[in-house]
Amino acid sequence: MAETRTGLARGLFAPLGPTYDRYANVLSFGQDPRWRRFLVSRLPVGPEDTVVDVAAGTAAVALELVRQTGCSVVGVDQSREMLEEGRRRIALAAETERVRLVEGSAEELPFEDACFDGLMAAYLLRYLDDLAAGLRELARVVRPGATAALLDFGVPPGVVQRTAWDLWVDLGLPVLGRAISPGWHEVGRFLGRSIREFDRSWPVPRLAATMRESGFADVEVRRLSLGGCTVLWGRRA
Ligand SMILES: C[S@@+](CC[C@H](N)C(=O)[O-])C[C@H]1O[C@@H](n2cnc3c(N)ncnc32)[C@H](O)[C@@H]1O
């Protein structure tokens, strides 16, 4: 039987926890922190609010949101190893009161309906086996009027940028990944294929339309770094 995307993500991220933050930055050409800050800036939340961070990984986005807004965050991720590193980072940042991590699947979130004041998910969409059902599940857990902000890699549309991007994902990433560790080599070989396949199946207008059909209104899109990253956000209808 073909492996599911969720199963693939489980194997891919298991060895990465301790080194994830350092190299995610390098492999995104140093753009990742800027993309995260933009994602977080889409969420109109404050100290009284609780936001869910789906596919929270090592809690980098959760900690960024807490720093910017003072809200509380519940992070959920299917990878025990990534969460372990996340808990270490939360303790280091002295944010154990405001950031909590739980193990769970984005496809079946372990939360009641409409219980969050906001939602964010960075680099989750490509790993969902059924994207529309996944978006409906995200919509389920946020209260009406609350904002959800989603981020993933994109393929730059311009010819020159696309050529540079192709070189980076086909040559740069695998070579750099191999120099770091076997786990990162796997990521380096996987990423270009995964991003291209996602872009072909879910061009940005289709992605935005599916977000609307899944229960979000006023959906907006911003492509960052010449299209290397796509951020979508909208209000729970
Ligand atoms: C590239 S990491 C991003 C982590 C974090 N959002 C960040 O930006 O640093 C992707 C994360 O998605 C998680 N993930 C993938 N599929 C998932 C699913 N179906 N349910 C929960 N987590 C998932 C992986 O375990 C991994 O931690």
Side-chain angles (χ1 to χ4, degrees), residues 103-136:
E103 194 177 328
S105 161
E107 281 97 345
E108 224 172 311
L109 290 167
F111 310 116
E112 310 266 294
D113 293 357
C115 65
F116 291 106
D117 307 299
L119 176 147
M120 55 190 186
Y123 309 108
L124 166 72
L125 301 179
R126 272 175 304 109
Y127 299 111
L128 292 173
D129 288 304
D130 180 340
L131 189 114
L135 288 175
R136 286 195 296 277

Side-chain angles (χ1 to χ4, degrees), residues 15-33 36 58 153 168 173 176-177 179-181 183-185 187 191:
L16 301 187
T19 55
Y20 178 79
D21 294 300
R22 193 176 333 144
Y23 295 121
N25 189 352
V26 174
L27 297 189
S28 70
F29 234 95
Q31 297 296 299
D32 186 47
R36 281 187 189 146
T58 58
F153 291 112
W168 174 240
L173 282 183
L176 241 168
I180 298 169
S181 70
W184 282 105
H185 189 204
V187 173
L191 261 185

Side-chain angles (χ1 to χ4, degrees), residues 80-216:
R80 188 167 302 162
E81 296 85 356
M82 292 287 275
L83 291 176
E84 215 168 275
E85 178 62 17
R87 291 198 180 95
R88 201 183 66 77
R89 290 174 50 87
I90 291 164
L92 266 178
E95 289 292 3
T96 49
E97 295 284 305
R98 288 192 294 188
V99 188
R100 185 166 68 83
L101 296 180
V102 296
E103 194 177 328
S105 161
E107 281 97 345
E108 224 172 311
L109 290 167
F111 310 116
E112 310 266 294
D113 293 357
C115 65
F116 291 106
D117 307 299
L119 176 147
M120 55 190 186
Y123 309 108
L124 166 72
L125 301 179
R126 272 175 304 109
Y127 299 111
L128 292 173
D129 288 304
D130 180 340
L131 189 114
L135 288 175
R136 286 195 296 277
E137 178 64 355
L138 301 186
R140 181 184 70 75
V141 299
V142 285
R143 64 166 172 75
T147 299
L150 314 173
L151 175 157
D152 216 316
F153 291 112
V155 178
V159 176
V160 177
Q161 295 87 336
R162 170 70 195 252
T163 308
W165 185 88
D166 282 338
L167 264 175
W168 174 240
V169 299
D170 291 338
L171 280 174
L173 282 183
V175 169
L176 241 168
R178 192 169 49 197
I180 298 169
S181 70
W184 282 105
H185 189 204
E186 192 59 33
V187 173
R189 289 190 307 160
F190 159 83
L191 261 185
R193 191 168 17 101
S194 159
I195 299 167
R196 280 191 190 106
E197 186 198 306
F198 186 72
D199 183 70
R200 260 195 310 273
S201 310
W202 295 96
V204 173
R206 181 175 182 215
L207 204 50
T210 309
M211 202 174 160
R212 282 184 208 103
E213 287 155 15
S214 308
F216 294 99

